[in-house]
């Protein structure tokens, strides 16, 4: 009876509602003139072509619009709760790591850092991220092959309308597997109806030099003398480095003024010009810009040219069209460090004599470097074509085509005078190509204006192509042939044979990725009080094995408004929302899709990219990469979120608190197998990582006097803890290189020996049954460190290493303030990260000079910037550096430091000249004329002993190689007409 009653009551109401809508639609089709109601409808449709996602985590552009920032990651740092940006180098254009709500997997190597990145969308088109496949031919992974330029540095902030960080599980589910790690939603400035608007921005500034304390060989000699006096033998003294033993050598014992060449104040500048306008049927936007950013270190700089074009048209009331094109070209002058150069060339030079700390000698080196060639460029194109068909007033068909294309080139040449008479050249061309095609049918209706329904049926198709071509050659005939020149005619015999007698090694590779998804979503809203949403996805990936190619994933959410605006309560509004979603995690390599496979894996021990057997190319089983078997399944992530959102005091204050859990389940990892199989392991599913935490946003308009001082303050916080909850086959521990993964522990912890002091004499070393305490079978001796015997078995080995510290901060946030007074404006940004540690590898390398300088490894390179006091020598005991146990090894908590920090990241002072009466009288078209002075990277408060606690690699190691984040002062104007 109840079902019959509902049917008899609801269906007639629905039919009446649909009939009224249909009659109205037909009446509009018969009207030749555009009424005011129709105009408003068209305006709304034009604005909805690039509709914002309904989330609250939006960037406040007032905090960043006047700062000379290059990449999106720099713009968002400290601005949004739950988003952590890791900036391991201040070199402009270099890679930055972004993580939303914690690590979804352990960061065991550089490739893993790329896999935890969120998806970045420009106007709804996801940017194709760099593929990891070039690392398979790299001996050293300091930088990715090619220009190694940040993907997200290709768009000018002046061309952006809004940036939102999407964390809501249901919204992520709608975006699909590409957004499994979270999403950043960027909308560029659209066309605008009405009188034309012209905008002009320009700024100039200086990247200032940091304060350093340069040293020469005398300082190094004094540092080492304490070790030689205490532990050195006659043989050790005879082998004392020659550059330190001769105090009359002015190249090393002379003035230590290398910093005058290495650090130089560098100019920065930029500008853009834009125009927007149009009518109620069509509008447009066009912008062009140029950016020159630089670091005060090593003459590194970054240039970018940008162009944006957007047009929206509504030729008919039932048909809308819009297109947006964003293009950029980036040029980058990279650092000149020895490590990066030799790392790319896979060449280990004679490390016995380091570069001189003297300015004149370093200047001669730079003169030779002028013969080198190091050209890096990236071209990017992002395109969206969008169509809307209004079949009925409440039924819309949307289809859009998106293209994201980026190509990178690098041409490098290093003369023989830089490479011990063996010159080197390389060329790289690679591209990322992404095509997306989306269609959706959107239907909505309401019953008595209290019950509102919306249903969306959609299809999404994504096709990626990643490809690179790489060639390199050594020992050319002279230093004048700097590029690999070939005949170029593919119809000629031997057309790839290099001109000039070079011997060239070539590599090429491609990866294809295709993702097809079907989507059904529904939303119900009752009386502006209750909202319920549900999503059902069916995703198929070409990189999964045939029997597990498709994955069904659901999502749902419910939001209840506890207090509405019209209820005259103490609070203006208060709502609670719960969400949950399961999202498949895409795999961007095809090596798992075909099951067991074979790769070329017969290589030289020192050069894994040269694969051959007795000069002949061969194919072999992938012993070093692990065995890929059958039964590889989709990894996926479960997002859960409970959010309390409210405002009070007449909306002068608002807050958002979110409790979340993110579980990345069924992930692939290389697990150990019996050694007699010959493989490094077997790649199987079964690893699960859990992240739990709290996001907090507080915003308040503390002072609101319209004719006096106004003060807005905003605080965002994120507290996060990660934990490994499962390994394949029920394993509880897994050793991977120098890391240990243990179920129940965080995945970013360090695995270290606990240091308890020093054995000053032989009598202090424990002895049992006449045997001394040993480390991996070697007796401890006087001058060795005391490492705690954790399990009491009277020997020190891997079983005595413990998990300590976290590489990722537990608490991250920002505190922003905006003051206004009669046209004057002051913006202040504080940024902080707390609760994380770092291993000071720079200190370990300095103290372990005996091993680093006598090992055939690039770790022993002494860069010119190492001639400075960048290690606190009062922190560490004097161990025996000749000890066979390697007393200054990095895997001990002696080098574990607190990396927490608080930074005054930016300060801006400006005045709007348009607020002056004289300006309004003489230039009535001026809407804004804001002149300002800004400063970035102004103050750092930390206990960390290195240069900067932010300059830490993705794995928590501080190497000292990150270029400093230069304090920048800039002067600019923003003019709107």
């Amino acid at each position: 009876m109840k079902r019959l009653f509902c049917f008899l009551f609801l269906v007639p109401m629905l039919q009446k509602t649909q009939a009224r809508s249909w009659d109205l639609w037909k009446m509009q089709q018969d009207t030749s003139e555009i009424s005011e109601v129709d105009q408003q409808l068209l305006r709304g449709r034009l604005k909805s072509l690039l509709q914002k996602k309904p989330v609250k985590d939006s960037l406040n552009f007032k905090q960043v619009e006047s700062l000379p920032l290059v990449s999106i990651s720099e713009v968002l740092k400290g601005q949004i709760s739950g988003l952590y940006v890791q900036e391991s180098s201040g070199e402009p254009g270099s890679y930055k790591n972004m993580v939303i709500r914690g690590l979804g997997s352990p960061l065991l190597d550089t490739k893993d850092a790329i896999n935890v990145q969120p998806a970045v969308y420009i106007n709804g088109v996801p940017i194709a991220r760099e593929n990891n496949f070039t690392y398979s031919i790299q001996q050293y992974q300091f930088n990715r092959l090619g220009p190694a330029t940040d993907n997200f540095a290709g768009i000018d902030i002046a061309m952006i309308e809004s940036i939102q960080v999407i964390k809501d599980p249901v919204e992520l589910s709608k975006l699909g597997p590409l957004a499994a790690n979270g999403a950043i939603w960027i909308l560029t400035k659209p066309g605008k109806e009405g009188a034309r608007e012209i905008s002009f921005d320009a700024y100039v500034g200086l990247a200032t030099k940091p304060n350093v304390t340069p040293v020469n060989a005398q300082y190094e000699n004094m540092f080492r003398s304490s070790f030689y006096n205490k532990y050195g033998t006659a043989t050790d003294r005879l082998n004392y480095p020659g550059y330190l033993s001769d105090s009359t050598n002015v190249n090393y014992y002379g003035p230590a003024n290398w910093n005058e060449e290495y650090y130089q104040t560098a100019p920065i500048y930029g500008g853009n010009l834009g125009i927007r306008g149009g009518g109620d049927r069509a509008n447009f936007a066009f912008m062009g810009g140029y950016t020159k950013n630089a670091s005060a270190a090593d003459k590194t700089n970054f240039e970018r040219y940008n162009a944006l074009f957007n047009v929206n048209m509504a030729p008919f009331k039932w048909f809308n069209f819009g297109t947006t094109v964003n293009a950029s070209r980036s040029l980058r002058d990279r650092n000149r460090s020895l490590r990066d150069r030799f790392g790319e060339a896979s060449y280990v030079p004679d490390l016995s004599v380091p570069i001189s700390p003297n300015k004149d000698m370093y200047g001669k080196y730079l003169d030779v470097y002028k013969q080198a060639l190091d050209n890096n460029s990236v071209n990017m194109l992002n395109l969206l074509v969008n169509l809307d068909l209004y079949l009925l007033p409440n039924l819309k068909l949307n289809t859009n085509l998106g293209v994201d294309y980026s190509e990178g080139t690098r041409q490098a040449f290093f003369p023989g005078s830089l490479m011990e008479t063996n010159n080197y050249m390389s060329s790289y061309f690679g591209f990322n190509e992404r095509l997306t095609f989306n269609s959706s049918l959107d239907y909505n209706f309401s019953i008595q204006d209290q019950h509102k329904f919306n249903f969306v049926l959609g299809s999404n198709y994504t096709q990626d192509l990643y490809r690179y071509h790489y060639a390199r050659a050594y020992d050319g005939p002279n230093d004048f042939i700097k590029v690999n020149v070939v005949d170029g005619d593919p119809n000629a015999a031997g057309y790839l044979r290099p001109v000039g007698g070079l011997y060239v090694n070539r590599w090429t590779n491609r990866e294809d990725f295709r993702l097809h998804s079907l989507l059904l979503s529904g939303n119900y809203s009752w009386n502006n009080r209750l909202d319920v949403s549900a999503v059902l996805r069916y995703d198929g990936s070409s990189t999964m094995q045939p029997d597990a190619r498709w994955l069904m994933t659901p999502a749902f959410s419910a939001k209840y408004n506890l207090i509405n605006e019209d209820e005259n309560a103490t609070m203006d509004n208060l709502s609670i929302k719960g969400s949950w979603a399961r999202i498949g995690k895409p795999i961007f390599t095809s090596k798992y899709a075909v099951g067991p496979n074979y790769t070329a894996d017969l290589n030289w021990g020192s050069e894994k990219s040269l694969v051959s057997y007795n000069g002949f190319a061969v194919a072999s089983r992938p012993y070093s990469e692990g065995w890929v078997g059958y039964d590889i399944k989709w990894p996926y992530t479960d997002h859960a979120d409970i959010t309390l959102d409210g405002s009070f005091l007449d909306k002068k204050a608002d807050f958002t608190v979110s409790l979340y859990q993110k579980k990345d389940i069924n992930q692939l990892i290389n697990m150990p197998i019996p050694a007699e199989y010959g493989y490094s392991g077997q790649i199987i599913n079964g690893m699960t990582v859990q992240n739990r935490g709290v996001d907090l946003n507080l915003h308040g308009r503390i002072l609101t006097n319209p004719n006096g001082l106004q003060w807005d303050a905003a605080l965002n916080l994120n507290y996060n803890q990660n934990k490994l909850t499962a390994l394949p086959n029920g394993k509880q521990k897994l050793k991977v290189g120098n890391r240990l993964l243990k179920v129940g522990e965080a995945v970013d912890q360090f695995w270290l020996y606990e240091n308890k002091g020093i054995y000053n004499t032989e009598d202090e070393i424990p002895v049992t049954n006449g045997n001394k305490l040993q480390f991996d079978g070697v007796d401890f001796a006087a001058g060795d460190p005391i490492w705690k015997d954790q399990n009491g078995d009277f020997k020190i080995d891997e079983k005595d290493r413990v998990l300590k510290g976290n590489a990722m901060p537990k608490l991250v946030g920002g505190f922003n303030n905006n003051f206004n007074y009669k046209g004057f404006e002051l913006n202040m940004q504080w940024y902080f990260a707390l609760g994380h540690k770092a291993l000071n590898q720079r200190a370990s390398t300095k103290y372990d000079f005996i091993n680093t300088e006598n090992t055939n490894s690039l770790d022993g390179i002494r860069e010119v910037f190492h001639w400075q006091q960048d290690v606190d020598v009062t922190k560490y005991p004097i161990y025996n550096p000749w000890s066979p146990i390697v007393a200054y090894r990095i895997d001990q908590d002696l080098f574990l430091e607190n990396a927490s920090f608080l930074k005054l990241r930016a300060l801006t002072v400006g005045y709007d000249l348009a607020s002056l009466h004289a300006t309004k009288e003489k230039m009535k078209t001026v809407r804004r004329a804001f002149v300002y002075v800004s400063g970035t990277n102004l103050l750092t408060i930390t206990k960390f002993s290195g240069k900067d606690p932010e300059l830490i690699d993705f794995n928590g190691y501080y190497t000292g190689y990150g270029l400093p984040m230069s304090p920048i002062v800039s002067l600019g104007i923003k003019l709107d007409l």
Side-chain angles (χ1 to χ4, degrees):
M1 290 296 294
K2 289 183 179 180
R3 293 181 181 178
L4 179 61
F5 174 81
C6 291
F7 179 81
L8 294 175
F9 177 77
L10 291 179
V11 169
M13 293 297 298
L14 179 58
Q15 290 175 339
K16 290 180 182 179
T17 301
Q18 297 280 40
R20 285 196 297 267
S21 299
W22 178 254
D23 292 341
L24 176 61
W25 185 73
K26 288 196 299 181
M27 181 175 63
Q28 290 176 346
Q29 302 307 302
D30 297 336
T31 304
S32 58
E33 297 183 358
I34 302 176
S35 66
E36 180 63 27
V37 174
D38 293 335
Q39 289 181 4
Q40 293 178 2
L41 182 63
L42 288 172
R43 292 171 194 149
R45 289 175 179 174
L46 287 172
K47 291 179 181 178
S48 68
L49 286 173
L50 295 176
Q51 196 169 17
K52 298 180 182 179
K53 289 291 177 182
V55 297
K56 291 200 65 176
D57 292 302
S58 300
L59 175 68
N60 181 1
F61 268 83
K62 276 190 171 294
Q63 301 293 335
V64 298
E65 64 177 355
S66 302
L67 303 180
L69 304 174
V70 171
S71 70
I72 297 301
S73 49
E74 292 176 312
V75 170
L76 290 173
K77 185 164 65 172
Q79 298 296 319
I80 305 294
S81 65
L83 174 66
Y84 175 59
V85 178
Q86 187 180 46
E87 196 167 354
S88 59
S89 176
E91 183 174 349
S94 61
Y95 285 122
K96 311 291 186 293
N97 294 325
M98 293 189 290
V99 177
I100 294 180
R101 289 184 168 178
L103 296 176
S105 60
L107 305 185
L108 304 175
D109 56 32
T110 309
K111 294 178 287 186
D112 296 323
I114 297 174
N115 291 333
V116 299
Q117 300 281 309
V120 177
Y121 294 77
I122 298 180
N123 300 322
V125 180
I127 297 178
R129 67 184 189 183
E130 294 282 4
N131 197 285
N132 286 328
F133 54 10
T134 63
Y135 288 113
S136 63
I137 65 170
Q138 293 182 241
Q139 186 70 16
Y140 300 96
Q141 300 185 2
F142 304 127
N143 292 289
R144 188 185 185 277
L145 283 183
T149 301
D150 190 359
N151 286 49
F152 309 139
I155 183 170
D156 193 337
I157 186 176
M159 301 183 182
I160 297 177
E161 178 79 3
S162 66
I163 305 179
Q164 298 172 321
V165 176
I166 301 178
K167 300 176 291 186
D168 180 82
V170 170
E171 294 301 322
L172 292 176
S173 175
K174 292 177 182 178
L175 294 177
L178 296 181
N181 295 325
I184 297 172
W185 191 265
I186 300 173
L187 298 181
T188 56
K189 290 186 176 178
K192 193 170 185 180
E193 175 194 347
R196 64 99 181 96
E197 293 184 358
I198 298 176
S199 61
F200 173 74
D201 297 346
Y203 68 88
V204 294
L206 294 173
T208 61
K209 298 187 293 185
N211 293 321
V212 300
T213 305
V215 298
N216 63 6
Q218 183 177 0
Y219 174 86
E220 185 68 19
N221 186 50
M222 293 175 60
F223 169 74
R224 298 191 183 193
S225 63
S226 57
F227 298 95
Y228 279 85
N229 293 336
K230 190 171 183 179
Y231 303 110
T233 64
T235 303
D236 296 329
R237 291 183 177 90
L238 288 174
N239 293 326
Y240 197 66
Y243 73 95
L244 294 176
S245 60
D246 184 5
S247 61
T248 63
N249 187 341
V250 294
N251 292 336
Y252 292 95
Y253 280 85
N257 50 5
W258 59 269
N259 57 306
E260 297 176 15
E261 280 283 356
Y262 188 82
Y263 296 113
Q264 295 183 352
T265 298
I268 65 166
Y269 43 87
N272 63 81
L273 178 66
I275 182 170
R276 298 197 291 176
D280 57 354
R281 287 284 187 142
N283 54 52
F284 73 95
F286 176 77
M287 300 188 73
Y290 171 77
T291 299
K292 167 70 181 300
N293 199 281
S295 169
D298 211 9
K299 290 188 177 180
T300 54
N301 68 77
F302 176 84
E303 293 182 84
R304 181 182 61 209
Y305 302 84
N306 276 92
L308 170 70
F309 178 73
N310 171 255
V311 62
N312 299 314
M313 295 184 292
F316 306 101
K317 302 170 188 177
W318 50 269
F319 175 70
N320 293 331
F321 168 80
T323 185
T324 302
V325 180
N326 177 64
S328 70
R329 175 173 173 80
S330 303
L331 306 173
R332 179 171 170 233
D333 289 337
R334 291 164 59 166
N335 69 73
R336 297 169 291 186
S337 73
L338 303 176
R339 185 196 69 168
D340 285 7
R341 183 170 82 244
F342 292 129
E344 179 182 354
S346 296
Y347 182 82
V348 180
D350 180 6
L351 303 176
S352 61
V353 180
I355 195 168
S356 169
N358 183 267
K359 173 185 176 181
D360 295 334
M361 294 300 297
Y362 181 56
K364 292 180 180 179
Y365 164 78
L366 295 180
D367 289 339
V368 176
Y369 204 96
K370 291 177 182 178
Q371 303 176 40
L373 192 67
D374 191 352
N375 297 331
N376 304 273
S377 65
V378 175
N379 299 320
M380 188 193 82
L381 174 68
N382 191 271
L383 167 70
L384 174 68
V385 179
N386 187 85
L387 299 175
D388 281 331
L389 296 175
Y390 292 86
L391 307 177
L392 293 171
N394 53 355
L395 180 63
K396 181 179 75 172
L397 174 65
N398 170 265
T399 184
N400 63 69
L401 174 70
V403 176
D404 181 75
Y405 176 81
S406 63
E407 63 179 26
T409 61
R410 172 171 169 80
Q411 189 70 45
F413 172 81
F414 304 122
S417 48
L418 290 177
M419 303 284 293
E420 296 179 328
T421 73
N422 292 311
N423 58 26
Y424 168 86
M425 66 182 66
S426 70
S427 60
Y428 174 91
F429 173 78
F431 63 86
N432 308 318
E433 181 181 272
R434 171 167 285 170
L435 174 71
T436 63
F437 182 74
N438 305 310
S439 296
S440 64
L441 197 62
D442 189 313
Y443 178 68
N444 63 80
F445 65 90
S446 60
I447 300 176
Q448 294 183 340
D449 294 329
Q450 291 186 348
H451 305 278
K452 298 179 180 180
F453 298 86
N454 175 260
F455 297 96
V456 176
L457 177 64
S459 171
N460 313 115
Y461 177 74
T462 301
Q463 178 175 298
D464 292 356
L465 171 61
Y466 306 94
R467 189 155 193 179
Y468 75 85
H469 302 274
Y470 178 61
R472 69 182 183 189
Y474 298 90
D475 199 17
N478 55 60
D479 285 346
F480 298 100
I481 301 177
K482 298 185 178 182
V483 295
N484 174 26
V485 180
V486 298
D487 181 272
D489 182 5
N491 298 318
Y495 77 98
L496 288 178
R497 185 178 298 114
V499 176
L502 291 174
Y503 178 74
V504 181
N505 296 308
R506 293 184 177 88
W507 295 265
T508 184
N509 201 352
R510 67 176 288 167
E511 279 285 0
D512 294 271
F513 170 77
R514 292 176 296 278
L515 177 69
H516 186 212
S517 305
L518 298 175
L519 169 73
L520 176 63
S521 69
N523 177 263
Y524 166 72
S525 177
W526 171 68
N527 202 29
N528 294 323
R529 176 73 77 173
L530 174 67
D531 285 280
V532 179
S533 298
V535 178
L536 189 63
R537 294 189 65 90
Y538 193 49
D539 301 303
S541 171
S542 65
T543 57
M544 297 305 302
Q545 294 185 353
D547 59 344
R549 187 147 289 170
W550 292 88
L551 178 70
M552 180 77 74
T553 55
F556 56 84
S557 69
K559 178 181 177 182
Y560 187 75
N561 294 320
L562 302 172
I563 298 175
N564 280 332
E565 297 182 11
D566 55 354
E567 293 184 356
N568 196 23
T570 304
M571 299 192 67
D572 301 315
N573 56 71
L574 181 66
S575 65
I576 186 170
K577 181 179 181 180
S579 302
W580 180 88
R582 173 164 292 178
I583 306 171
K585 297 189 68 173
I587 294 175
F588 289 95
T589 177
S590 58
K591 72 178 183 179
Y592 307 126
V594 295
N597 59 83
Y598 300 88
T599 61
D601 202 30
L602 287 176
N603 50 43
W604 299 90
S606 60
E607 182 48 77
K608 64 179 183 179
S609 61
L610 298 178
V611 288
S612 68
Y613 177 73
N614 198 24
F616 296 95
V618 298
S620 70
R621 295 184 178 185
Y623 295 103
S624 62
E625 294 186 6
W627 169 254
V628 178
Y630 295 110
D631 202 31
I632 300 293
K633 305 296 184 183
W634 264 84
Y636 58 90
T637 177
D638 287 348
H639 295 256
D641 185 310
I642 298 177
T643 299
L644 188 66
D645 189 357
S647 64
F648 51 94
L649 298 178
D650 251 352
K651 297 186 179 180
K652 291 181 180 179
D654 57 78
F655 67 91
T656 303
V657 180
S658 296
L659 305 178
Y660 66 84
Q661 175 177 281
K662 182 180 70 169
K663 292 189 73 172
D664 293 80
I665 303 170
N666 210 34
Q667 298 185 82
L668 293 167
I669 193 167
N670 195 1
M671 293 295 293
I673 57 177
E676 54 266 27
Y677 291 149
Y679 294 92
S680 64
Q682 182 181 8
I683 299 175
I684 56 177
N685 293 103
M687 181 175 66
T688 299
V689 177
Q690 172 185 281
N691 282 270
R692 287 179 175 175
V694 181
D695 284 344
L696 173 65
N697 293 280
L698 298 175
H699 173 256
R701 292 182 290 277
I702 301 174
L703 299 176
T704 58
N705 186 353
N707 299 316
L709 181 63
Q710 301 175 41
W711 176 18
D712 279 17
L715 173 69
N716 69 81
L717 295 172
N718 169 258
Y719 176 79
N720 184 83
Q721 281 190 322
N722 69 75
K723 182 171 66 174
L724 180 69
T725 60
L727 284 170
N729 301 325
K731 297 288 187 181
Q732 296 299 303
K733 294 181 181 180
L734 175 62
K735 176 187 173 185
V736 185
N738 204 29
R739 300 286 298 275
L740 178 70
L741 300 179
K742 183 178 180 181
V743 173
E745 300 288 345
V747 297
D748 61 331
Q749 286 185 300
F750 303 100
W751 192 31
L752 309 172
Y753 295 101
E754 285 192 326
N755 193 293
K756 297 299 181 181
I758 182 174
Y759 293 118
N760 291 298
T761 65
E762 294 287 335
D763 295 337
E764 296 179 1
I765 302 172
V767 178
T768 297
N769 298 326
N771 297 317
K772 287 185 178 181
L773 181 67
Q774 292 184 334
F775 174 78
D776 282 344
V778 178
D779 289 345
F780 277 92
D784 285 341
I786 301 174
W787 291 324
K788 185 176 179 180
D789 183 7
Q790 302 286 347
N791 57 5
D793 62 355
F794 199 71
K795 61 180 178 180
I796 304 298
D797 53 22
E798 285 187 346
K799 296 177 181 178
D800 297 301
R801 294 166 72 176
V802 295
L803 295 171
K804 296 188 70 173
N806 295 86
M808 294 288 290
K810 295 181 179 179
L811 183 66
V812 179
F815 181 50
N816 302 322
N817 291 272
N818 184 37
F819 299 90
N820 289 274
Y821 181 74
K822 296 183 178 180
F824 287 96
E825 187 172 315
L826 170 66
N827 290 321
M828 182 184 299
Q829 293 183 40
W830 293 90
Y831 171 57
F832 55 87
L834 308 173
H836 61 303
K837 305 286 186 179
L839 278 177
N840 195 331
Q841 189 173 10
R842 169 69 186 119
S844 171
T845 302
K846 181 177 179 64
Y847 274 83
D848 195 26
F849 55 88
I850 294 297
N851 292 297
T852 55
E853 292 184 359
N854 292 281
T855 302
N856 191 29
S857 168
L858 295 183
D859 292 335
I861 288 182
R862 189 180 183 92
E863 306 282 355
V864 68
F865 53 78
H866 287 166
W867 289 104
Q868 62 174 305
Q869 289 184 354
D870 59 345
V871 174
D872 185 358
V873 296
T874 64
K875 290 185 59 175
Y876 307 103
I878 305 300
Y879 293 140
N880 180 5
W882 290 272
S883 172
I885 72 168
V886 189
Y888 289 108
R889 60 175 61 240
I890 185 62
D891 52 350
Q892 57 180 313
D893 63 0
L894 175 68
F895 297 107
L896 190 65
E897 294 193 37
N898 185 352
S900 300
F901 63 85
L902 169 65
K903 287 194 171 189
L904 176 57
R905 184 167 182 255
L907 184 67
T908 302
V909 179
Y911 182 72
D912 187 2
L913 298 176
S915 63
L916 295 175
H917 180 72
T919 304
K920 294 178 180 179
E921 288 293 323
K922 295 181 180 180
M923 302 178 67
K924 296 184 179 180
T925 60
V926 175
R927 295 179 291 114
R928 188 188 187 202
F930 185 66
V931 294
Y932 62 89
V933 177
S934 69
T936 59
N937 301 315
L938 301 176
L939 174 67
T940 300
I941 302 173
T942 183
K943 293 181 179 180
F944 185 66
S945 65
K947 291 183 294 187
D948 191 322
E950 278 199 87
L951 302 180
I952 295 171
D953 290 345
F954 67 93
N955 54 6
Y957 283 63
Y958 172 75
T959 63
Y961 272 86
L963 267 61
M965 298 180 189
S966 303
I968 295 178
V969 179
S970 59
L971 171 67
I973 182 171
K974 293 185 176 294
L975 183 63
D976 294 329
L977 301 176

